[in-house]
Amino acid sequence: MALPSALDEIIGIWRALPRKAGALLPCRRALNPRDLARALPRVALMQRRERYDIQVGMVETPFDAHWSEGMAGFNAFDIADSDMRENIARFCDAILSQPAGAWVEEKVEAMGGGEATVSTLYLPLSDRQDRATYIMGCSVSDRPAAHRSLREKLVPTPSAIAAVRFFDIGRGKPSVAFEPMTRLARSASLKERFLDPAAPTGASV
């Protein structure tokens, strides 16, 4: 399955960012949010402080002032569905510890009825000490989605997840064992949903 062109453009921007000599990841401060805004209006920046403390900022506000200041957002785990907490922690750990890129696909209600596919790309960034602590998230939808709460935009409910894929950005793909969730509404198995080994076309970084 091909990565949406807007997200493929984001990967290109990420790849072109300057890096310190020998560093795999670009530093957060090397990224100008205006570059992302031209490609995609909805961008989130997340910072993992502890396993269950991931601060979220810059959601649909691509302005330099919000980017340059400290993370003054909120903890994603405070709004996460109880079935998702441990899986979110493992998901973020895979992105930052490997490190690796990830692509999540959700099926949500479309504006006017029917179904829309929301694709979200996640890429790691380093802090000033070259530690992988930041995750950049960018989303695009193939159809206008019906109104969704901030929680639904940032932390999808189990029943909305259609696929989760990791892809290699230089050090291979992580192997992640996710916990079973009790409220998956679709028929695909957990293995099909979360452990699909196929990297998205266009996402080989």
Side-chain angles (χ1 to χ4, degrees), residues 51-130:
R51 182 171 177 80
Y52 299 106
D53 184 357
I54 296 179
Q55 295 295 308
V56 181
M58 220 186 102
V59 181
E60 296 185 301
T61 55
F63 302 107
D64 291 280
H66 293 123
W67 186 271
S68 59
E69 294 174 358
M71 296 299 292
F74 53 89
N75 186 355
F77 287 96
D78 290 342
I79 61 171
D81 187 286
S82 59
D83 286 351
M84 293 288 286
R85 286 179 57 87
E86 181 57 30
N87 283 342
I88 291 169
R90 296 181 188 186
F91 176 76
C92 293
D93 188 59
I95 293 172
L96 295 173
S97 296
Q98 186 75 18
W103 176 29
V104 176
E105 188 176 276
E106 302 169 66
K107 300 296 184 180
V108 302
E109 182 183 354
M111 189 178 299
E115 191 173 67
T117 299
V118 177
S119 299
T120 304
L121 173 71
Y122 298 92
L123 290 167
L125 300 164
S126 65
D127 61 17
R128 289 179 172 178
Q129 287 74 45
D130 296 327

Side-chain angles (χ1 to χ4, degrees), residues 26-48:
C27 182
R28 174 183 73 90
R29 295 186 178 275
L31 182 60
N32 185 335
R34 294 190 186 279
D35 293 336
L36 296 177
R38 284 193 289 269
L40 207 60
R42 192 177 133 205
V43 179
L45 181 67
M46 294 159 275
Q47 180 188 27
R48 184 174 68 174

